[in-house]
Amino acid sequence: MSKFIRQLLPFATLTLLIAALSALEPDTFLTAENFLNVLSRSSVNGIIAMGMTAVIISGGIDLSVGSMMALAGMVGAGVMLKVGGPDAGGAAMVVGTGVGIGTGLLCGLLNGALITKLKLPPFIVTLGTMSAFRGTSYIINNSKMYDVPTYTFLGQANVLGVPVSVLILALVVLAGFFVLRYTPLGRYTYAIGSNREAAFHAGVNVDRNLIAIYGMTGLFVGLASMIQMSRTISAQPTAGISLELDIIAAVVIGGASLSGGRGTVIGTIVGTLLISFLRNGCTLLGISTNIQLVVIGAIIIGAVALDQLARSKAEAT
Amino acid sequence: MNAVQPQTAAPSGTALRMQGISKRFGPVQALCDVSFAARAGTVHALVGENGAGKSTLMKILAGVYQPDAGSVEIQGRPQTLANPAQAIEAGVSMIYQELDLAEQLTVAENIFLGAEPQGPLPWTVSHHQMAIQTRDLARQYDFDLDPATRVEDLSTGDCQIVEILKALRRNASIIVMDEPTSSLSERETVRLFEVVRQLREKGLAIIYISHRLEEIIELADEVSVLRDGQLVHSEPMAQLDIPQIVHHMVGRELNDYFPARSVEVGPTLVEVSDLSSEAGIDNVGFDVRRGEIVGMAGLVGAGRTEVARAIFGVDKKTSGRVILNGRELNIDSPSDAIASGIALLTEDRKRTGLCLELPCSYNITLPNLEQIGMGSLIKPTQEVRIAKEAGERIAVKWANPEAPTDSLSGGNQQKLLVARWLLANSTFMIFDEPTRGIDVGAKAEVYGLLNTLAQQGKAILFISSELPELFGVADRILVMRRGKLVGNLVTKETTPEQVMHLAAVEEN
């Protein structure tokens, strides 16, 4: 019962927030347009957060996602322009997108391989690759960005009135939910995070699964990077600086434990939306971004503190 | 090693008197009306099987546990040892098996931890003073230790010396040593014995816990034997010999909660030969037949768990073959072992067995997803049903299969692991200390289960530190000592004394 309440907590907070903002700003906040806008802005973070959820459930962390996003964008855009010139057409865009996503996947696999084969803590490996990926994305075009004026579909187009990015987010959330709940990979992710030794003794191939988890995260980062690139019709080597912290915050607010074994896709998406709606609401209410930062900080600490409280109560009974 | 006659040394006032100590943990009566006394200037050996209550008694002395009843007197004065600090204050120092030192600090810093001499300014520490006093202390005992060495750079034997110096610095009058030689080399052991004798000369009371009986003969002045939480015997060493000690240790009647064995033993199913591993086991070979329960005895650290780990692909083998059902297996990981039909119930279910915060059902199906046809897609409803059936077959008590694993009692957690391997339908099952930390009723159920599994034609290797259960359940008993297999005995033709002798006494 109390476990149920605990899982409901972020959900309740989100509902409360939406209700409050609807009451305060009925004309600007409570509109379909605003909601789709918020969802669309959440798409990049939400997609990456799906991968981060799996990583955190496995007891790991990925600090490199922000840099990885910049690198995937720079490689994808670079190839796109090389193939299709400044006004790249459909074929070039498809190739560039594929290469960009593939870059993310490779980066993720590299993280996984370093963590398992060198037996290093994920924090250290991804701290290192965070720096290396960032550096590489600067090197690619001499610290300059790429303009891709024609690349508008993923980030700006609508299908049936819904932004494409929101549709992709929905698909990734479904995929994340499916993987964690219905596949052995998802099950082993929980087992490894809960007790890595026990998982190993139960015949789980820990290394292979961890590589898959980090690889999947890389894949999602690549995808998010393409959406980000399309939103700004450019690839920037400075993209996603400190993005990893926002993502980790969303996952933690959603109830995942940094010590592993615990976390859900639903929780994470609620955490992501909570942050997005908070930002949106503050903007609509004319509250400065500086104050937003303070509020988000308080929510991270409050969410985890409440969770701990509920947990110790549950243990006492 | 030749047995040195114990010298009735120094003044022999009573340093420690524990009277009528009882302690209960939940359903388990760990200690029952134990009275124990140690005289100053003597080495008092405390022996007993695992779980006999030695560590509980010593933890009460160290202020870690509070007794439910009984009193403690140190140097004739009654003491309330409410916490470790009070025990240290009263003159008790413990030297645990796992040493208790801050590895990154120096020898001197460790010895003076919490009582650093003040430097020229307030809130400073005089490293100079610390070094001088450490050196003085070490010289009194002919130790050659540089006070500035970091503890992490010392050998285990030297670390122990640091522990002893720490105790002396605190003016300890009673020093408890728990299995001090278990990780020492031969030479370090000899030196430790020298030190213990010096401490005795200086009038300290040494309480010495060891499974190695030959050490006790060499060192102890008096011996007390604990069995099932009771002090069953206490006598000067001079009037005892090893067979007598062993007899007191194992002397309980075999309880009738062991199931009647009526299994037809079939053809050989498992053959292990020349098994050696990086973890230190050396050319171990044995076989297990269908329907047979083979017990494995040995002291802590004798390599029993390591045999299981080598077979199961956890530790890297350096040599050896495992043949199952006539087929030689090539096992490099637990997943290979499981696929070949081997199961291992590890001795530490919290560390290597269960994912405690996950649902019970997850733990049952974890190695079996392939087996139950969910190798690529998990069907949660069906999975829970399968887990429920597996659990109910051995009467696991749970709210429901989806309850978190840590909501179950120890015995039921153990049963979850059994349910897991039953579902895996393994043919060769290794149980490493399956009854550790569970109560008597649950133990009886485990014995019944082993019997049932044997009846189903499985081969079972049953590792245990408790001789009565080995004698109650196993058809044969293998004995390990220091990584080697030193005995392969038919249960009916041997005695607990013989097994204990093989396990504990070094042949020369």
Side-chain angles (χ1 to χ4, degrees):
Chain A
M1 188 62 201
S2 86
K3 188 183 168 196
F4 184 63
I5 292 172
R6 223 170 59 215
Q7 285 173 343
L8 221 61
L9 208 64
F11 226 19
T13 318
L14 180 63
T15 314
L16 215 65
L17 179 74
I18 290 177
L21 288 170
S22 303
L24 286 170
E25 292 282 333
D27 299 336
T28 47
F29 180 77
L30 197 58
T31 62
E33 195 194 344
N34 186 48
F35 268 61
L36 286 177
N37 179 31
V38 172
L39 285 175
S40 157
R41 281 167 181 274
S42 307
S43 59
V44 168
N45 283 28
I47 290 168
I48 299 175
M50 286 302 110
M52 187 69 85
T53 304
V55 165
I56 286 179
I57 291 171
S58 80
I61 193 94
D62 190 342
L63 300 177
S64 71
V65 290
S67 304
M68 202 191 287
M69 185 169 96
L71 180 60
M74 290 303 286
V75 174
V79 169
M80 201 181 293
L81 296 175
K82 197 132 242 166
V83 174
D87 295 311
M93 284 197 251
V94 170
V95 171
T97 305
V99 170
I101 296 174
T103 304
L105 174 63
L106 285 180
C107 289
L109 291 173
L110 176 68
N111 278 337
L114 289 172
I115 288 163
T116 53
K117 299 307 168 200
L118 299 183
K119 299 194 194 311
L120 292 174
F123 189 95
I124 303 297
V125 167
T126 59
L127 190 64
T129 55
M130 173 169 90
S131 179
F133 294 160
R134 181 67 66 193
T136 313
S137 51
Y138 282 119
I139 292 168
I140 287 175
N141 195 24
N142 282 322
S143 308
K144 291 193 293 285
M145 60 184 233
Y146 283 123
D147 285 312
V148 282
T150 55
Y151 192 64
T152 54
F153 180 71
L154 289 180
Q156 299 180 22
N158 288 330
V159 170
L160 305 170
V162 181
V164 172
S165 57
V166 174
L167 293 175
I168 295 176
L169 172 65
L171 283 178
V172 170
V173 169
L174 282 177
F177 183 76
F178 180 80
V179 167
L180 283 180
R181 189 168 162 78
Y182 292 102
T183 67
L185 173 63
R187 177 60 54 84
Y188 297 155
T189 303
Y190 280 100
I192 293 168
S194 170
N195 187 342
R196 186 175 173 153
E197 277 294 305
F200 173 67
H201 280 83
V204 173
N205 188 330
V206 175
D207 286 4
R208 203 173 60 198
N209 280 286
L210 284 179
I211 291 173
I213 292 163
Y214 285 88
M216 186 177 78
T217 303
L219 185 77
F220 288 169
V221 171
L223 189 58
S225 170
M226 294 303 106
I227 292 174
Q228 175 69 17
M229 184 164 103
S230 174
R231 290 169 68 87
T232 60
I233 46 173
S234 65
Q236 304 178 2
T238 53
I241 285 179
S242 87
L243 178 71
E244 59 282 350
L245 298 181
D246 275 357
I247 308 277
I248 294 168
V251 176
V252 168
I253 290 173
S257 155
L258 284 179
S259 52
R262 215 158 54 81
T264 59
V265 162
I266 307 292
T268 294
I269 203 65
V270 169
T272 309
L273 292 178
L274 194 60
I275 295 180
S276 295
F277 273 111
L278 202 69
R279 290 226 163 98
N280 176 247
C282 287
T283 311
L284 292 178
L285 291 169
I287 298 170
S288 83
T289 48
N290 300 345
I291 293 179
Q292 290 176 26
L293 289 175
V294 176
V295 172
I296 289 170
I299 287 196
I300 295 171
I301 295 171
V304 178
L306 274 175
D307 191 56
Q308 294 275 8
L309 195 72
R311 184 170 300 275
S312 62
K313 278 240 173 82
E315 262 158 36
T317 51
Chain B
M1 293 184 212
N2 50 356
V4 174
Q5 276 304 307
Q7 303 127 357
T8 12
S12 12
T14 303
L16 168 71
R17 187 184 297 282
M18 301 177 84
Q19 201 105 44
I21 303 282
S22 294
K23 177 74 184 172
R24 174 181 276 277
F25 295 105
V28 182
Q29 185 78 44
L31 289 174
C32 180
D33 195 22
V34 170
S35 294
F36 172 79
R39 286 178 299 132
T42 63
V43 175
H44 196 131
L46 190 57
V47 299
E49 289 185 290
N50 294 347
K54 294 168 303 202
S55 3
T56 308
L57 187 65
M58 288 304 107
K59 280 183 176 159
I60 286 172
L61 179 58
V64 178
Y65 295 150
Q66 301 311 307
D68 300 332
S71 62
V72 180
E73 268 178 35
I74 292 172
Q75 314 294 1
R77 269 201 304 276
Q79 299 280 353
T80 322
L81 306 171
N83 53 50
Q86 285 186 8
I88 291 168
E89 181 64 26
V92 178
S93 271
M94 305 286 296
I95 298 177
Y96 290 108
Q97 225 167 323
E98 299 90 25
L99 298 173
D100 215 5
L101 297 169
E103 301 218 327
Q104 276 80 28
L105 300 186
T106 65
V107 168
E109 283 164 343
N110 265 288
I111 290 172
F112 283 89
L113 199 61
E116 289 83 357
Q118 203 194 321
L121 294 170
W123 307 105
T124 62
V125 171
S126 168
H127 286 271
H128 182 63
Q129 270 301 318
M130 236 158 45
I132 291 178
Q133 292 181 31
T134 302
R135 223 173 263 128
D136 284 351
L137 200 57
R139 201 168 298 137
Q140 287 176 36
Y141 292 88
D142 296 328
F143 295 147
D144 186 23
L145 271 180
D146 178 1
T149 314
R150 285 197 194 198
V151 165
E152 61 187 350
D153 297 329
L154 297 179
S155 68
T156 317
D158 283 340
C159 287
Q160 232 155 20
I161 301 292
V162 175
E163 285 276 16
I164 292 171
L165 288 177
K166 193 162 105 183
L168 293 170
R169 199 270 301 151
R170 290 165 167 172
N171 293 318
S173 59
I174 299 165
I175 295 185
V176 181
M177 296 185 176
D178 188 358
E179 296 283 351
T181 58
S182 61
S183 47
L184 294 189
S185 68
E186 205 87 15
R187 231 185 44 219
E188 287 176 320
T189 303
V190 171
R191 181 177 64 159
L192 181 76
F193 286 4
E194 272 316 304
V195 175
V196 170
R197 291 194 184 100
Q198 284 183 49
L199 296 173
R200 172 170 64 190
E201 300 291 313
K202 304 236 167 179
L204 276 82
I206 313 292
I207 299 172
Y208 191 92
I209 300 176
S210 177
H211 277 109
R212 302 205 171 131
L213 298 180
E214 72 270 28
E215 290 180 359
I216 285 167
I217 297 190
E218 181 165 345
L219 211 52
D221 305 304
E222 291 192 51
V223 179
S224 288
V225 184
L226 276 170
R227 191 206 309 150
D228 293 337
Q230 288 177 304
L231 194 96
V232 292
H233 198 81
S234 199
E235 205 175 357
M237 184 64 227
Q239 289 154 38
L240 283 168
D241 55 17
I242 286 189
Q244 283 174 316
I245 297 175
V246 168
H247 176 76
H248 289 304
M249 284 169 70
V250 298
R252 99 192 89 171
E253 294 306 310
L254 297 188
N255 299 339
D256 53 9
Y257 55 67
F258 297 112
R261 292 279 291 137
S262 58
V263 179
E264 277 302 304
V265 171
T268 302
L269 188 71
V270 183
E271 292 166 68
V272 175
S273 50
D274 300 325
L275 189 68
S276 303
S277 81
E278 287 178 345
I281 57 166
D282 190 6
N283 275 309
V284 172
F286 60 89
D287 59 358
V288 188
R289 294 193 284 170
R290 228 176 242 291
E292 190 182 31
I293 301 177
V294 173
M296 186 177 264
L299 304 179
V300 173
R304 294 168 300 167
T305 295
E306 286 72 13
V307 169
R309 289 166 61 96
I311 294 173
F312 200 61
V314 178
D315 290 341
K316 212 168 162 46
K317 288 194 282 286
T318 50
S319 76
R321 301 199 305 167
V322 178
I323 296 171
L324 184 68
N325 231 343
R327 208 162 53 85
E328 179 164 356
L329 304 178
N330 195 359
I331 293 172
D332 288 320
S333 69
S335 62
D336 292 346
I338 294 165
S340 311
I342 302 177
L344 170 62
L345 259 94
T346 59
E347 63 176 333
D348 188 341
R349 62 172 178 272
K350 287 207 165 63
R351 213 176 62 73
T352 52
L354 292 164
C355 298
L356 285 174
E357 64 259 73
L358 299 186
C360 296
S361 58
Y362 283 26
N363 275 302
I364 292 180
T365 59
L366 189 58
N368 300 320
L369 291 176
E370 202 84 44
Q371 178 91 13
I372 59 175
M374 301 187 188
S376 47
L377 183 70
I378 294 172
K379 305 171 191 92
T381 326
Q382 205 182 328
E383 184 197 10
V384 169
R385 189 172 50 73
I386 291 171
K388 188 163 188 275
E389 284 167 10
E392 279 170 356
R393 256 199 286 168
I394 52 165
V396 176
K397 289 188 199 75
W398 50 23
N400 58 64
E402 289 155 287
T405 303
D406 51 12
S407 67
L408 269 54
S409 72
N412 278 298
Q413 289 180 9
Q414 193 71 21
K415 282 199 201 167
L416 274 192
L417 287 171
V418 176
R420 165 193 288 182
W421 296 117
L422 286 182
L423 190 57
N425 207 12
S426 318
T427 46
F428 176 33
M429 303 184 75
I430 307 173
F431 289 78
D432 194 357
E433 303 281 5
T435 61
R436 177 177 290 173
I438 65 180
D439 62 45
V440 174
K443 280 184 186 182
E445 286 184 59
V446 171
Y447 303 143
L449 201 66
L450 290 175
N451 208 21
T452 314
L453 293 172
Q455 271 163 7
Q456 292 167 5
K458 297 181 188 307
I460 293 173
L461 180 64
F462 173 37
I463 300 173
S464 171
S465 294
E466 292 183 36
L467 287 180
E469 66 179 23
L470 286 178
F471 276 83
V473 176
D475 301 310
R476 265 188 299 142
I477 298 178
L478 308 173
V479 187
M480 292 287 297
R481 187 180 66 227
R482 295 194 184 236
K484 290 197 169 76
L485 189 72
V486 293
N488 186 344
L489 310 160
V490 176
T491 311
K492 282 194 188 116
E493 297 162 6
T494 184
T495 59
E497 283 78 5
Q498 189 185 2
V499 171
M500 187 54 104
H501 190 91
L502 279 170
V505 183
E506 209 68 46
E507 306 288 345
N508 284 313

